[in-house]
Amino acid sequence: MLLVFAVTEAGKGGLARPLPIALRLLLFLVAAATFLYVECRARHPVVPLSLFRSRSGSLTTATG
């Protein structure tokens, strides 16, 4: 959601205000890294990370 919001806001205001866009992208990266950190250590993860081991599974997931 944060990534979509950041990209949408960049489209609305252009790159005239790059700092807020960069902060949103940074927040997305921190949230994604935190999610992966927690999921790697969870006994029963919400998203099985084994899905990302195969190239086709990763590509399918990334393209949505």
Side-chain angles (χ1 to χ4, degrees), residues 1 3-4 6-8 17-18 20 23 26 29 32 34 36 45-46 48 50-52 54 57 61-62:
M1 288 297 284
L3 180 62
V4 172
V7 171
T8 302
R17 301 178 335 178
L23 289 175
L26 179 64
L29 292 174
T34 303
L36 288 174
V46 175
S50 61
L51 293 175
F52 298 103
S54 73
T61 303

Side-chain angles (χ1 to χ4, degrees):
M1 288 297 284
L2 290 172
L3 180 62
V4 172
F5 182 67
V7 171
T8 302
E9 288 299 309
K12 286 182 183 177
L15 296 176
R17 301 178 335 178
L19 186 60
I21 295 166
L23 289 175
R24 289 182 187 119
L25 290 173
L26 179 64
L27 183 60
F28 164 74
L29 292 174
V30 169
T34 303
F35 176 78
L36 288 174
Y37 177 79
V38 170
E39 287 294 296
C40 285
R41 283 152 183 72
R43 187 174 212 167
H44 301 288
V46 175
V47 178
L49 298 178
S50 61
L51 293 175
F52 298 103
R53 287 194 183 127
S54 73
R55 178 179 271 184
S56 62
S58 297
L59 185 61
T60 302
T61 303
T63 58

